[in-house]
């Protein structure tokens, strides 16, 4: 009887929907894969032109060129790699296939095009003036002056490198390593170089280094190549310091020797897992290739002619200071803490400062939890410490560690942390000129901090907390440092309305940020033209695609330049609105409700609940239509007459499943009480952590008419001891300290593992379930999906499982993502709209039949 009523209601709503759509179409998966993304964008140095690459999910990409008034100047299909020259006189891109493409040079002054056929790759070097460099399919390397037309062919090359800032090019032509600067005659660096010689060039193009069959050669312009070291590894890239005074290279340690007393046929194929080895054996297997290629870091000083060793078997990582110019190197060792990483899930280090001149290492900090980094000028090493909820800094020269923030003054830690671990930081804006100040974030504001801890911290933005606005620095030009005497550009987020704004701000004046532009939308970071006060950015909402906009420095009249998806107007789209309620355990919860464009509040709609952790801040996110690997496409579902509810969740340690139930269920009730949702036609969908939560909900409520659960954990006991096969890591840290939020081991709190595991209450499930879990999943063990399926099948519950063979945690191939979207919508359409059950759900498809048909 219920099915007959459901079908009648479906026919009624379909008829009413068709009438109110005004001929707008419902979106299908075929429409979705044609949707464009903007995957490349460039603004010319003078700000007069903007170029983009539009790329659909399926099909060839298109390059478009616009002037900054929105006029389209050029369009080319099957194109990529958009660039402008330094003078803003030329626009360049490649057109054609990966195997055969042409270089198109468009003259922006004369509107004429030049096509150079069979170009494999090209670049517009930063250090040149009007030159470009390109390589033909036959490997011929050419330097070409765009203005004069002069060309220099360097012959067929197997490898080449271009200086970042100078005009030097080093290349391998027929086994001879040559160096050329601009259009000057080439110098021979090394004749008859061994096969596989690797070449490197300094940033300014004044120094070249080679790894020639394990021999390190150094060449300085105007001189001769000199061999300075032997036995160097070809697995570590050579690094030339910015000033060219130091060459960093690797030497491989001695490899273990095979036991020749046993023949290959008799050699046992056994793994030996040891209880006290630092890195778990499964992780060793994953990392075996990388670990076998490990080398110790050395440095050669081009001034003194001396080499010194920096790292050894006890050093796990190194960080160069001041781009390698410094005599000091930061060295990290996690050896003493490797075992506990298994359950802690975080890195812990002993820090050393290595003096490469004195060849001496000094302990800087023992047992550091955090990721040490180096300030741009090399004056400080700094890190965020989770246990202290504070930032620290130390000078390599004084070796004196300073705590530079205090939680009682600046709450730089995540105040909403709800995992059983130390809270993470809100990150940092960066460093001022000469490393004088460090700029850190709290939840709202930007603070100026003295890395020597002599001055008190200063709240630069002043009013973020008061206005519930989060200010974040966005560099509009490519720079490593912040000039506190100049205006800064801020991207601000209103935590109440979820809207974005741009502000201008001068830290040196002690005034509040000045509003430039605000919108009921999500705004991207801003990019400035190199030589003009012209800016490009994107503005998006659930309705509005993130097209490219152009503005002057005042942001009074921004202009939309692109229209990436004009076909959008043909479809029944949707709207997004923020709603709120109170969870069953008293938390204020927000969520986003998505409705069809032709929404009629007098009708009763089917609804799908989709969530992960917290997503209300994405209220204005466009969610570009996509054949998603793990979730529903919101636009496709609203276009087809569904409501979608995405809810935030606040978690209580030890009770992740119940936390989800407490937050989600009253949210659903709040929407039902609005009067336009059919309570009998509500579904839920989630993947991974979301997949676990919908599996848990199915054991606690019979509200849902259908649930899709992707790659879920259903048995926390077996999952705790499982392996993340993609990394080889044991999964225990996830339950003790991270997302799974149990906070205890199974022997400390076994009931928590039982209570939060859907498997142990699977007999309570009344909802039809669709599982998607793939056999090469490296995140969640595939056997979790199997346990889920087998339990429901044994209990004679309606359940289907999709295994995209050979795929990982989610389908990666487009054909499989499309198939997943088709089958998931068919599943929901049947149970929530009363549509006919497809063949694969009704009768199943045998292993033999799958080789011949999809069974849709």
């Amino acid at each position: 009887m219920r099915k007959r009523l459901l079908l009648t209601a479906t026919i009624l709503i379909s008829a009413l929907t068709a009438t109110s759509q005004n001929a707008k179409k419902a979106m299908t998966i075929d429409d979705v894969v044609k949707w464009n993304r903007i995957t490349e964008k460039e603004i010319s140095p003078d700000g007069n032109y903007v170029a983009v690459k539009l790329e659909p999910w399926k099909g060839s990409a298109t390059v478009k060129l616009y002037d900054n008034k929105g006029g389209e100047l050029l369009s080319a299909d099957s194109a990529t790699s958009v660039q402008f020259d330094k003078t803003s006189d030329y626009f360049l891109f490649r057109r054609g296939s990966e195997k055969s493409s042409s270089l198109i040079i468009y003259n922006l002054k004369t509107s004429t095009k030049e096509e150079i056929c069979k170009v494999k790759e090209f670049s517009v070097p930063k250090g040149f003036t009007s030159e470009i460099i390109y390589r033909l399919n036959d490997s011929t390397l050419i330097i070409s002056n765009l203005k004069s037309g002069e060309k220099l062919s360097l012959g067929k090359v197997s490898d080449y490198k271009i200086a970042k800032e100078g005009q030097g090019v080093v290349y391998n032509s027929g086994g001879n390593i040559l160096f050329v600067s601009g259009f000057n005659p080439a110098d021979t660096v090394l004749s008859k170089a061994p096969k596989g010689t690797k070449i490197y060039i300094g940033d300014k193009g004044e120094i070249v280094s080679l790894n020639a069959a394990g021999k390190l050669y150094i060449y300085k312009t105007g001189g001769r190549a000199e061999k300075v070291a032997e036995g160097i590894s070809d697995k570590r890239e050579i690094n030339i310091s910015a000033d060219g005074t130091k060459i960093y290279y690797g030497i491989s340690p001695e490899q273990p020797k095979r036991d020749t007393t046993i023949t290959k046929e008799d050699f046992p194929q056994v793994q030996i897992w040891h209880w006290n080895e630092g890195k778990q054996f499964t992780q060793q297997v994953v990392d075996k290739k990388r670990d076998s290629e490990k080398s110790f870091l050395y440095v050669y000083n081009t001034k003194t002619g001396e080499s010194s060793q920096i790292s050894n078997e006890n050093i796990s990582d190194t960080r160069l200071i001041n781009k390698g110019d410094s005599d000091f190197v930061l060295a990290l060792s996690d050896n003493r803490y490797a075992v506990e990483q298994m359950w802690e899930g975080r890195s812990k280090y002993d820090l050393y400062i290595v003096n490469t001149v004195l060849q001496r290492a000094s302990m800087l900090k023992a047992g550091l939890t955090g990721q040490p980094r180096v300030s741009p000028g090399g004056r400080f090493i700094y890190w965020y410490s989770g246990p202290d909820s504070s930032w620290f800094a130390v000078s390599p020269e004084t070796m004196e560690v300073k705590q530079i923030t205090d939680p009682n003054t600046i709450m730089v830690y995540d105040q909403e942390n709800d995992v059983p671990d130390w809270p993470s930081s809100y990150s940092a804006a960066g460093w001022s000129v000469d490393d004088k100040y460090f700029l850190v974030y709290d939840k709202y504001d930007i603070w100026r901090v003295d890395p020597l801890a002599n001055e008190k911290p200063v709240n630069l933005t002043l009013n973020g907390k008061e206005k519930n606005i989060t200010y974040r620095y966005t560099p509009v030009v490519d720079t490593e440092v912040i000039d506190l005497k100049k205006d800064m550009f801020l991207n601000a987020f209103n935590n109440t309305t979820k809207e974005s704004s741009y502000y201008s701000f001068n830290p040196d004046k002690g005034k509040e940020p000045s509003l430039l532009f605000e919108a009921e939308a999500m705004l991207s970071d801003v990019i400035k033209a190199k030589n003009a006060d012209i800016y490009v950015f994107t503005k998006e909402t659930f309705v509005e695609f993130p097209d490219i906009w152009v503005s002057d420095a005042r942001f009074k009249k921004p202009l939309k330049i692109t229209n990436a998806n004009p076909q959008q107007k043909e479809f029944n789209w949707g709207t997004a609105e923020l709603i709120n309620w109170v969870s069953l355990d008293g938390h204020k919860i927000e969520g986003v409700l998505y409705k069809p464009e032709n929404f009629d509040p007098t009708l009763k709609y089917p609804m799908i609940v989709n969530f992960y952790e917290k997503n209300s801040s994405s209220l204005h996110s466009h969610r570009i239509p996509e054949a998603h690997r793990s979730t529903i496409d919101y636009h496709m579902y609203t276009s087809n007459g569904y409501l979608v509810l995405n809810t935030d969740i606040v978690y209580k340690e030890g009770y992740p499943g119940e936390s989800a139930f407490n937050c989600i269920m009253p949210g659903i009730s709040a929407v039902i009480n609005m009067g336009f949702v059919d309570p009998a036609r509500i579904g839920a969908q989630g993947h991974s952590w979301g997949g676990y939560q919908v599996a848990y909900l199915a054991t606690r409520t019979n509200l849902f008419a259908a649930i899709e659960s992707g790659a879920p954990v259903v048995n926390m006991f077996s999952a705790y001891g499982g392996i993340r096969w993609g990394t080889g890591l044991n999964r225990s840290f996830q339950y003790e300290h991270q997302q799974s939020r149990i906070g205890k081991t199974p022997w400390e709190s076994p009931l928590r593992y039982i209570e939060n595991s859907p498997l142990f209450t699977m007999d309570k499930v009344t909802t039809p379930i669709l599982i998607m879990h793939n056999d090469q999943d490296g995140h969640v063990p595939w056997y979790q999906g199997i346990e889920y399926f087998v339990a429901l099948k044994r209990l004679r519950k309606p359940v289907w499982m999709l295994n995209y063979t050979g795929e990982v945690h989610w389908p990666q191939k487009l054909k499989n993502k499309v198939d997943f979207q088709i089958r998931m919508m068919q599943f929901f359409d049947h149970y929530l709209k009363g549509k006919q059950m497809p063949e694969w759900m009704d009768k199943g498809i045998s292993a033999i039949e799958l080789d011949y048909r999809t069974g849709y």
Side-chain angles (χ1 to χ4, degrees):
M1 184 67 176
R2 177 185 173 185
K3 188 171 184 179
R4 185 181 301 167
L5 291 172
L6 188 62
L7 285 169
T8 303
T10 301
I11 293 169
L12 177 60
I13 193 172
S14 297
L16 291 171
T17 299
T19 302
S20 61
Q21 277 184 353
N22 295 324
K24 286 198 172 184
K25 299 185 294 185
M27 189 180 295
T28 69
I29 194 65
D30 291 332
D31 301 312
V32 167
V33 297
K34 296 174 184 176
W35 226 261
N36 282 318
R37 300 154 290 150
I38 297 178
T39 54
E40 293 181 31
K41 62 177 181 289
E42 291 285 336
I43 183 170
S44 61
D46 65 3
N48 290 329
Y49 306 96
V50 175
V52 298
K53 182 175 82 169
L54 305 178
E55 187 173 3
W57 299 105
K58 186 177 183 179
S60 62
T62 300
V63 160
K64 288 184 178 290
L65 175 68
Y66 302 88
D67 62 32
N68 63 13
K69 299 294 187 288
E72 184 177 314
L73 306 177
L74 178 70
S75 179
D77 58 11
S78 303
T80 189
S81 304
V82 299
Q83 289 191 58
F84 292 97
D85 80 313
K86 293 172 66 174
T87 64
S88 300
D89 289 334
Y90 298 91
F91 170 58
L92 305 93
F93 60 94
R94 283 194 303 119
R95 188 179 188 186
S97 66
E98 285 294 324
K99 294 182 179 180
S100 179
S101 63
S102 297
L103 171 60
I104 308 298
I105 303 173
Y106 182 81
N107 190 312
L108 295 166
K109 306 304 179 187
T110 64
S111 301
T112 57
K113 286 189 296 184
E114 177 188 356
E115 180 175 0
I116 303 174
C117 298
K118 299 182 179 179
V119 173
K120 184 177 182 180
E121 58 194 4
F122 80 95
S123 63
V124 182
K126 182 179 178 181
F128 285 71
T129 51
S130 299
E131 288 79 20
I132 62 169
I133 297 178
Y134 58 90
R135 182 157 62 158
L136 301 175
N137 286 354
D138 67 359
S139 297
T140 299
L141 188 66
I142 296 172
I143 302 176
S144 175
N145 187 295
L146 293 171
K147 294 188 180 297
S148 68
E150 181 183 2
K151 294 184 179 181
L152 173 65
S153 175
L154 303 181
K156 295 183 178 181
V157 305
S158 56
D159 190 15
Y160 69 100
K161 295 289 190 302
I162 306 169
K164 290 182 179 179
E165 299 172 8
Q167 295 189 2
V169 181
V170 59
Y171 57 100
N172 187 329
S173 179
N176 296 313
I177 310 301
L178 304 171
F179 172 85
V180 66
S181 179
F183 284 85
N184 296 315
D187 291 338
T188 300
V189 176
L190 186 67
S191 299
K192 298 180 180 179
K195 186 177 181 180
T197 293
K198 293 187 174 182
I199 58 180
Y200 304 87
I201 189 167
D203 288 351
K204 298 177 182 178
E206 298 174 351
I207 189 167
V208 169
S209 64
L210 310 174
N211 182 350
K215 298 176 181 179
L216 176 64
Y217 287 86
I218 305 297
Y219 165 85
K220 296 180 181 179
T221 53
R224 297 177 56 189
E226 178 185 0
K227 184 181 73 174
V228 298
E230 295 188 11
I232 69 171
S233 170
D234 64 349
K235 305 303 180 184
R236 182 193 286 266
E237 296 296 305
I238 290 174
N239 193 319
I240 302 173
S241 68
D243 64 5
T245 63
K246 297 177 180 65
I247 313 295
Y248 297 89
Y249 60 96
I251 292 183
S252 300
E254 185 177 351
Q255 296 297 313
K257 296 179 180 178
R258 186 179 183 86
D259 186 348
T260 57
T261 63
I262 303 174
T263 64
K264 185 176 181 180
E265 291 76 15
D266 292 333
F267 208 90
Q269 299 299 306
V270 61
Q271 296 179 348
I272 301 173
W273 298 19
H274 194 284
W275 71 277
N276 202 31
E277 59 190 350
K279 183 188 290 189
Q280 179 134 323
F281 197 91
T282 48
Q283 190 179 355
Q284 295 178 41
V285 172
V286 172
D287 296 341
K288 184 166 66 173
K289 184 177 186 299
R290 186 190 67 188
D291 290 345
S292 67
E293 296 174 350
K294 186 177 181 179
S295 62
F296 300 146
L297 183 64
Y298 282 69
V299 61
Y300 174 79
N301 190 308
T302 61
K303 289 184 176 180
T304 65
E306 295 180 347
S307 288
S308 61
Q309 183 174 350
I310 296 172
S311 68
N312 53 37
E313 64 277 359
N314 295 316
I315 298 300
S316 52
D317 199 3
T318 55
R319 307 271 198 279
L320 300 184
I321 296 175
N322 198 20
K323 300 181 179 63
D325 292 348
S326 173
D327 291 332
F328 298 101
V329 173
L330 176 64
L332 292 70
S333 174
D334 63 358
N335 284 5
R336 293 199 299 153
Y337 315 103
V339 175
E340 65 187 64
Q341 287 184 28
M342 170 182 173
W343 59 86
E344 294 287 353
R346 70 176 77 91
S347 298
K348 197 172 183 180
Y349 302 103
D350 291 333
L351 262 61
Y352 298 86
I353 289 292
V354 179
N355 187 317
T356 60
V357 175
L358 300 177
Q359 300 189 34
R360 183 175 65 193
S362 302
M363 171 73 81
L364 181 63
K365 174 75 174 176
L368 180 145
T369 54
Q371 287 295 328
R373 287 167 280 181
V374 180
S375 61
R379 290 184 58 200
F380 297 97
I381 295 156
Y382 64 103
W383 63 88
Y384 170 78
S385 173
D388 304 287
S389 297
S390 300
W391 287 94
F392 287 76
V394 57
S395 165
E397 295 181 353
T398 66
M399 302 283 286
E400 187 177 357
V401 177
K402 300 279 190 177
Q403 180 174 341
I404 58 176
T405 66
D406 184 329
N408 295 318
T409 304
I410 316 174
M411 289 184 282
V412 297
Y413 59 91
D414 181 4
Q415 297 176 52
E416 298 177 357
N417 176 62
D418 60 5
V419 297
D421 201 1
W422 300 311
S424 59
S425 77
Y426 285 113
S427 192
W431 289 79
S432 70
V433 177
D434 297 326
D435 293 349
K436 183 176 181 180
Y437 293 111
F438 182 42
L439 274 60
V440 302
Y441 296 132
D442 68 9
K443 183 177 179 180
Y444 306 99
D445 289 297
I446 304 174
W447 292 74
R448 190 190 72 194
V449 175
D450 177 12
L452 295 173
N454 293 327
E455 300 179 25
K456 290 183 178 180
V458 176
N459 183 347
L460 296 176
T461 46
L462 299 173
N463 64 10
K465 184 176 182 180
E466 175 189 338
K467 293 188 174 183
N468 201 22
I469 290 176
T470 297
Y471 292 113
R472 293 299 181 252
Y473 167 64
T474 174
V476 296
V477 293
D478 186 14
T479 179
E480 289 187 325
V481 297
I482 302 169
D483 190 339
L484 297 180
K485 295 185 181 300
K486 294 182 179 180
D487 285 352
M488 292 172 59
F489 204 89
L490 304 182
N491 194 329
F493 180 79
N494 188 308
N495 293 283
T496 302
T497 65
K498 319 301 180 185
E499 298 169 2
S500 295
S501 303
Y502 293 140
Y503 284 80
S504 177
F505 171 62
N506 191 306
D508 205 40
K509 294 182 178 179
K511 295 181 179 180
E512 295 181 356
S514 177
L515 180 66
L516 288 173
F517 180 69
E518 62 182 342
E520 293 182 11
M522 181 181 292
L523 302 174
S524 70
D525 286 343
V526 173
I527 300 173
K528 178 185 176 295
K530 184 176 181 180
N531 302 323
D533 284 331
I534 305 295
Y535 301 82
V536 295
F537 64 97
T538 67
K539 179 166 72 79
E540 65 181 279
T541 67
F542 186 68
V543 177
E544 183 179 356
F545 178 87
D547 276 300
I548 305 295
W549 290 67
V550 174
S551 175
D552 61 14
R554 297 176 300 170
F555 280 81
K556 296 301 182 184
K557 294 182 179 180
L559 177 68
K560 189 171 84 165
I561 295 292
T562 64
N563 186 14
N565 290 288
Q567 77 278 15
Q568 178 179 322
K569 63 180 179 294
E570 303 172 9
F571 295 95
N572 178 32
W573 204 248
T575 60
E577 64 182 80
L578 192 68
I579 61 174
N580 55 75
W581 61 91
V582 177
S583 70
L584 297 178
D585 49 355
H587 294 286
K588 293 181 179 179
I589 304 296
E590 293 181 315
V592 184
L593 180 63
Y594 301 87
K595 301 174 181 176
E597 181 180 341
N598 61 340
F599 174 75
D600 183 343
T602 66
L603 301 179
K604 295 286 189 180
Y605 287 86
M607 182 172 75
I608 293 180
V609 185
N610 172 266
F611 52 88
Y612 195 75
E613 291 192 354
K614 291 181 180 178
N615 287 281
S616 62
S617 61
S618 64
L619 169 68
H620 295 299
S621 175
H622 183 68
R623 296 180 179 269
I624 298 172
E626 177 184 354
H628 294 277
R629 60 191 186 181
S630 60
T631 186
I632 61 171
D633 181 83
Y634 282 33
H635 295 296
M636 188 165 70
Y637 276 76
T638 57
S639 179
N640 281 276
Y642 284 93
L643 302 183
V644 179
L645 175 64
N646 190 318
T647 76
D648 286 351
I649 302 170
V650 176
Y651 295 94
K652 178 182 178 182
E653 181 180 328
Y655 303 94
E658 184 176 338
S659 296
F661 181 88
N662 288 343
C663 294
I664 294 167
M665 298 311 294
I668 296 172
S669 297
V671 179
I672 291 174
N673 290 338
M674 294 177 184
F676 44 72
V677 170
D678 185 344
R681 297 190 293 144
I682 299 175
Q685 192 272 329
H687 188 87
S688 194
W689 183 239
Y692 155 72
Q693 291 171 104
V694 294
Y696 177 88
L697 292 179
T699 68
R700 291 287 304 273
T701 178
N702 61 1
L703 172 70
F704 298 109
I707 285 176
E708 192 279 328
S709 173
V713 165
V714 293
N715 182 350
M716 289 195 172
F717 275 111
S718 58
Y720 174 89
I723 298 294
R724 293 177 68 98
W725 292 108
T727 59
L729 292 171
N730 172 256
R731 293 174 51 83
S732 55
F733 66 89
Q734 296 177 231
Y735 296 87
E736 295 184 45
H737 293 291
Q738 293 188 6
Q739 188 177 55
S740 299
R741 295 177 168 88
I742 298 299
K744 301 287 184 182
T745 65
W747 42 93
E748 290 174 317
S749 190
L751 289 181
R752 287 190 183 181
Y753 282 80
I754 293 174
E755 292 168 3
N756 287 286
S757 296
L759 185 71
F760 298 105
T761 48
M762 206 63 72
D763 58 320
K764 304 295 191 298
V765 175
T766 60
T767 306
I769 305 290
L770 174 63
I771 306 166
M772 190 266 280
H773 209 154
N774 304 324
D775 53 19
Q776 296 301 310
D777 194 326
H779 292 64
V780 177
W782 186 39
Y783 282 92
Q784 289 290 315
I786 294 174
E787 287 187 55
Y788 195 10
F789 176 80
V790 169
L792 290 173
K793 182 176 180 179
R794 167 64 181 83
L795 291 164
R796 309 309 294 148
K797 311 281 187 178
V799 60
W800 296 262
M801 180 167 166
L802 306 176
N803 168 29
Y804 291 96
T805 56
E807 294 276 28
V808 291
H809 191 50
W810 34 56
Q812 293 179 305
K813 298 174 183 176
L814 180 61
K815 64 179 182 180
N816 290 338
K817 291 191 286 187
V818 167
D819 183 86
F820 171 57
Q821 290 297 324
I822 291 173
R823 296 189 194 278
M824 181 164 55
M825 179 163 266
Q826 288 177 335
F827 172 75
F828 283 126
D829 278 351
H830 171 69
Y831 283 110
L832 304 188
K833 286 188 170 183
K835 290 188 178 182
Q836 183 175 351
M837 182 178 282
E839 182 181 359
W840 64 273
M841 288 178 62
D842 186 18
K843 299 178 181 178
I845 307 294
S846 71
I848 293 176
E849 289 177 303
L850 275 178
D851 290 336
Y852 302 98
R853 58 199 180 107
T854 61
Y856 294 143

